[in-house]
């Protein structure tokens, strides 16, 4: 009989915010009611949750800090009653010889008292696959995919057994493709053999989704798994006997109120979405140089424009601009200063839209912009709902005075009609 108890079973720790949303969306699609928290919450969880994803920003901070935050997240998840734990990193295994994937994995293993876990960044839908321990991205080895030039985590070796081996004191082994293809029993046998010979972490091959389903079933009894978001395709099925498949995992409470879009993303996809949206709704362009000249005046002008149109449907307020306009602002103000000025303005506008103008449904474009808005609104967590486009779900906020419907879109996500069709999905 399904367990209808409302405590979470699966506790996840993600090393960045958008990666956390990606994982949470996968879990919802696979039938688990999921909440994403922003950092480590100070309070216990609300009821009616099957999985929790704690979003950290620990990918590129010093390894010692990443360990401390991850252990604190683990403690909180254990206090909520979670039974299995999932350390989520990027499907391109973003890390350096100093970490943080190896050191965090090792610390979590020690805290959980386990001597074995797996590591599998494969995400076939995004063409990330692992074969003989080598990670391929877009059909080429990781170190030829462009990741070798990443500013923070250059990946110069595609062999993950070697890469992870350099980051941890535990012996690293491999569960190869031939074993995965033989199915769950063969993988379990291989895990037992690796454990017996003292291997601590096994890189796992996976080329398509079926491989991830096999792997997920074989990991059913491991206290800890580490992976990209791909493993989440299969993991929820392990809990199906207890939870059933929740048809309503993506259901969100209906939230009534005015609607607005705020955009600080200057990515190509967002600029196209803005062009499209401008033909369907009132819009207002906040200029960086105008903010510099008269901050309060510019913010008030944007709010006045919104106020006069909010009764008729969604209003778009955007700082997003062409590369030329951005470059001019950056030359006059400095790159960091221009970015921070615009983020502060959009965050202030968001707060007033909500507190003064009755906006309850808000769409935000831009990763950094979303971070600024979420912190201005005091959002502590998000209940994850249906996806508008892959990787961008509607959510409802936790921790705000009143719950808001919120969608956070990073740079290049979303189809051209993202800003118009999003509203049709809200109850
Ligand atoms: P994305 O997800 O597309 O990368 P982000 O919000 O993460 O978007 O980053 C966009 C950055 O550009 C933010 O710091 C934002 O404040 C800044 N920005 C937005 N509009 C302008 C502009 N007109 N001039 C200068 N900087 C801008």
């Amino acid at each position: 009989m399904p367990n209808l108890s409302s405590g979470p079973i699966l506790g996840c720790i993600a090393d960045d915010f958008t990666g956390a949303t990606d994982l949470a969306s996968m879990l919802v699609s696979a039938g688990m009611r999921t909440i994403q928290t922003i950092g480590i919450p100070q309070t216990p969880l609300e009821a009616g949750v099957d999985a929790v994803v704690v979003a950290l920003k620990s990918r590129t901070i010093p390894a010692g800090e990443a360990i401390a935050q991850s252990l604190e997240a683990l403690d909180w998840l254990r206090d909520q009653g979670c039974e299995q734990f999932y350390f989520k990193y990027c499907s391109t295994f973003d890390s350096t010889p100093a970490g943080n994937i190896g050191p965090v994995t090792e610390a979590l293993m020690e805290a959980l008292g386990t001597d074995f876990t797996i590591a599998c960044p494969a995400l076939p839908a995004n063409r990330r696959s692992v074969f003989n321990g080598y990670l391929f991205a877009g059909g080429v080895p990781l170190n030829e995919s462009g990741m070798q030039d990443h500013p923070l985590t250059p990946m110069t070796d595609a062999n993950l057994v070697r890469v992870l081996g350099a980051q941890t004191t535990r012996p690293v082994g491999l569960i190869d493709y031939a074993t995965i293809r033989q199915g769950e029993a063969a993988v379990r046998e291989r895990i037992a053999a690796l454990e017996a010979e003292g291997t601590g972490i096994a890189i796992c091959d996976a080329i398509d989704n079926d491989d991830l389903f096999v792997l997920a079933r074989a990991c059913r009894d491991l206290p800890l798994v580490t992976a990209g978001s791909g493993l989440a395709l299969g993991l929820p099925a392990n809990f199906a006997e207890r939870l059933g498949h929740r048809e309503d995992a993506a259901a969100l409470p209906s939230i009534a109120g005015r609607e607005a879009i705020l955009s600080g993303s200057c990515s190509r996809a967002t600029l196209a979405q803005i062009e499209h949206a401008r033909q369907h709704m009132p819009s207002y362009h906040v200029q960086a140089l105008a903010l510099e000249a008269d901050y309060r005046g510019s913010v008030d002008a944007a709010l006045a424009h919104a106020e006069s149109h909010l009764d008729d449907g969604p209003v778009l307020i955007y700082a997003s601009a062409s590369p030329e306009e951005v470059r001019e602002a950056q030359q006059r103000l400095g790159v960091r200063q221009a970015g921070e000025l615009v983020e502060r303005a959009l965050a202030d506008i968001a707060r007033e839209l909500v507190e003064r103008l009755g906006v309850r449904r808000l769409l935000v474009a831009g990763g950094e912009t979303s971070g600024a808005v979420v912190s201005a609104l005091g959002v502590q967590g998000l209940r994850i709902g249906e996806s508008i486009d892959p990787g961008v779900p509607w959510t409802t906020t936790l921790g705000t005075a009143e719950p808001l419907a919120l969608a956070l879109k990073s740079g290049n996500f979303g189809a051209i009609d993202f800003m118009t069709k999003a509203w049709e999905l809200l109850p």
Side-chain angles (χ1 to χ4, degrees):
M1 189 182 127
N3 165 356
L4 296 176
S5 82
S6 56
I9 295 180
L10 183 64
C12 311
I13 301 168
D15 69 356
D16 91 330
F17 188 87
T18 46
T21 308
D22 181 23
L23 172 60
S25 285
M26 300 268 262
L27 294 170
V28 168
S29 308
M32 295 183 94
R33 298 171 304 177
T34 305
I35 275 180
Q36 171 182 348
T37 70
I38 294 159
I40 301 154
Q42 302 303 312
T43 51
L45 211 57
E46 67 170 47
V49 179
D50 306 317
V52 188
V53 183
V54 175
L56 300 179
K57 252 180 141 172
S58 57
R59 184 169 293 167
T60 54
I61 62 178
E65 284 172 38
I67 289 174
Q69 288 184 22
S70 303
L71 290 177
E72 199 187 325
L74 177 69
D75 280 346
W76 184 83
L77 288 166
R78 283 169 121 174
D79 286 345
Q80 309 311 307
C82 295
E83 296 165 23
Q84 190 178 40
F85 301 89
Y86 189 140
F87 172 38
K88 152 76 173 73
Y89 36 75
C90 187
S91 60
T92 42
F93 214 70
D94 299 23
S95 53
T96 71
N100 289 335
I101 295 176
V104 168
T105 300
E106 220 172 330
L108 293 172
M109 289 171 77
E110 201 170 306
L112 288 165
T114 180
D115 288 323
F116 183 82
T117 188
I118 59 141
C120 185
L123 184 58
N126 286 7
R127 301 194 66 206
R128 312 286 162 68
S129 56
V130 185
F131 184 70
N132 278 342
Y134 285 78
L135 177 56
F136 292 81
V140 297
L142 184 64
N143 57 319
E144 297 173 22
S145 68
M147 277 302 292
Q148 70 273 26
D149 299 318
H150 191 283
L152 302 175
T153 52
M155 301 301 288
T156 55
D157 186 359
N159 183 316
L160 298 186
V161 176
R162 255 191 323 249
V163 169
L164 189 57
Q167 296 179 24
T168 156
T169 61
R170 307 232 182 198
V172 178
L174 176 69
I175 301 178
D176 70 3
Y177 192 61
T179 309
I180 301 273
R181 278 323 242 187
Q182 287 171 51
E184 180 187 345
V187 176
R188 283 180 179 276
E189 247 172 65
R190 176 75 179 141
I191 288 176
L194 285 167
E195 280 191 272
E197 71 183 39
T199 294
I201 311 170
I203 299 293
C204 300
D205 282 358
I207 291 175
D208 60 26
N209 287 347
D210 286 345
D211 303 332
L212 290 169
F213 280 107
V214 167
L215 186 61
R217 283 199 299 276
C219 290
R220 188 188 174 110
D221 303 322
L222 296 183
L224 174 71
V225 295
T226 85
S229 60
L231 192 69
L233 285 167
L235 219 52
N238 292 341
F239 307 114
E241 275 163 35
R242 291 167 61 186
L243 302 176
H245 179 96
R246 301 205 193 267
E247 298 300 335
D248 62 347
L252 295 178
S254 125
I255 290 173
R258 291 166 148 185
E259 298 168 336
I261 302 173
L262 288 172
S263 177
S265 162
C266 302
S267 300
R268 212 177 283 176
T270 309
L271 295 178
Q273 289 157 358
I274 289 174
E275 259 332 286
H276 179 268
R278 272 160 43 87
Q279 294 160 31
H280 294 88
M281 63 183 74
S283 62
Y284 187 89
H285 184 34
V286 179
Q287 279 163 332
L289 291 175
L291 285 168
E292 171 69 13
D294 177 8
Y295 183 85
R296 196 61 238 180
S298 304
V299 166
D300 284 343
L303 288 164
H305 181 87
E307 189 167 13
S308 61
H309 290 98
L310 276 168
D311 279 336
D312 306 325
V315 173
L316 165 64
I317 298 177
Y318 63 102
S320 314
S322 65
E324 298 74 43
E325 191 181 325
V326 171
R327 213 170 303 123
E328 195 197 343
Q330 289 177 336
Q331 273 164 6
R332 302 260 293 266
L333 308 176
V335 173
R336 194 172 48 82
Q337 290 86 340
E340 284 174 4
L341 179 67
V342 168
E343 284 168 33
R344 176 156 68 93
L346 292 174
D348 282 343
I349 291 170
R351 199 183 307 112
E352 293 205 39
L353 284 173
V354 169
E355 288 175 5
R356 191 159 64 77
L357 299 180
V359 167
R360 292 289 174 273
R361 302 161 155 224
L362 185 63
L363 207 155
V364 185
E368 295 298 323
T369 308
S370 293
V373 167
V374 154
S375 102
L377 296 176
V379 177
Q380 289 171 26
L382 303 167
R383 185 178 277 272
I384 306 293
E386 197 177 340
S387 290
I388 304 164
D389 273 319
V392 200
W394 269 116
T395 72
T396 49
T397 59
L398 308 173
T400 44
E402 274 186 63
L404 310 171
L406 185 65
L408 306 171
K409 184 194 89 79
S410 69
N412 278 314
F413 283 61
I416 185 138
D417 57 351
F418 181 86
M419 293 178 176
T420 48
K421 75 176 171 193
W423 310 103
E424 293 160 18
L425 293 175
L426 282 180

